[in-house]
Amino acid sequence: MGSIFKMYPKRPNSHLLSLSLQGGSAIVIAVFIIVVMSLLAAALTRMLQDSQDSIAYEVYGTRAYLAANAGIEHGFVKLFPLGGGSEVCNSVTVLDLSAQTAFHGCTVNYSCNEITETAINLKQYRLESTAQCDAGKFVTRRKIQAQAKEL
């Protein structure tokens, strides 16, 4: 019976030895998970920031478009007054809409050019409006053109 114990000697505390060898791998896995989660959080934060910038740019782009449209309408009111009267086709007019809440930081430049067809004595007008809205971080511009003629 003594020979069996010699062939397979009993190791004292062998399960404690294997646990102590695995202790370092748990730290490596924990550090890896922390790094991956940090990178994921940073990417998500960057995506949210880009999304917010895109929405703000779209809002200011819409404001600039509507401000340019207001410039065209202002030009038409000057060109064809409601009570009749003479047409006013100035070269360049500046509208400052920045005092308006909806058009904060927006300015509009519009111009009117008269085009006369001499064969039929018909006056035509070309109005061009350019609006610029300044948000500090970025600037948006929109340009609209319209044509009108006397009947």
Side-chain angles (χ1 to χ4, degrees):
M1 280 207 175
S3 63
I4 296 177
F5 290 116
K6 287 183 182 178
M7 284 176 59
Y8 302 106
K10 185 177 179 184
R11 294 183 184 160
N13 299 328
S14 63
H15 67 285
L16 294 177
L17 182 62
S18 67
L19 285 177
S20 67
L21 291 176
Q22 294 177 4
S25 65
I27 292 174
V28 171
I29 292 172
V31 168
F32 178 75
I33 289 173
I34 289 171
V35 167
V36 168
M37 293 301 249
S38 298
L39 291 174
L40 186 63
L44 185 60
T45 302
R46 179 68 180 158
M47 284 176 39
L48 288 173
Q49 182 64 35
D50 289 345
S51 176
Q52 288 175 349
D53 289 347
S54 175
I55 289 170
Y57 185 74
E58 188 67 31
V59 166
Y60 274 92
T62 302
R63 285 182 181 179
Y65 171 76
L66 293 174
N69 201 15
I72 290 287
E73 290 178 8
H74 190 266
F76 278 138
V77 168
K78 294 281 188 184
L79 191 59
F80 302 111
L82 288 176
S86 62
E87 302 91 15
V88 178
C89 190
N90 295 335
S91 58
V92 175
T93 305
V94 177
L95 293 174
D96 185 14
L97 300 176
S98 60
Q100 303 291 326
T101 304
F103 297 113
H104 179 71
C106 296
T107 57
V108 179
N109 296 328
Y110 72 89
S111 62
C112 178
N113 297 320
E114 184 177 332
I115 306 166
T116 305
E117 292 187 19
T118 55
I120 54 176
N121 199 17
L122 179 68
K123 287 185 181 179
Q124 290 186 344
Y125 303 95
R126 179 177 295 135
L127 282 87
E128 186 175 292
S129 177
T130 305
Q132 176 177 323
C133 293
D134 188 359
K137 190 173 183 180
F138 46 81
V139 176
T140 57
R141 288 184 188 92
R142 297 294 183 264
K143 186 179 201 178
I144 297 177
Q145 293 179 344
Q147 290 186 348
K149 63 181 176 180
E150 280 184 344
L151 296 177

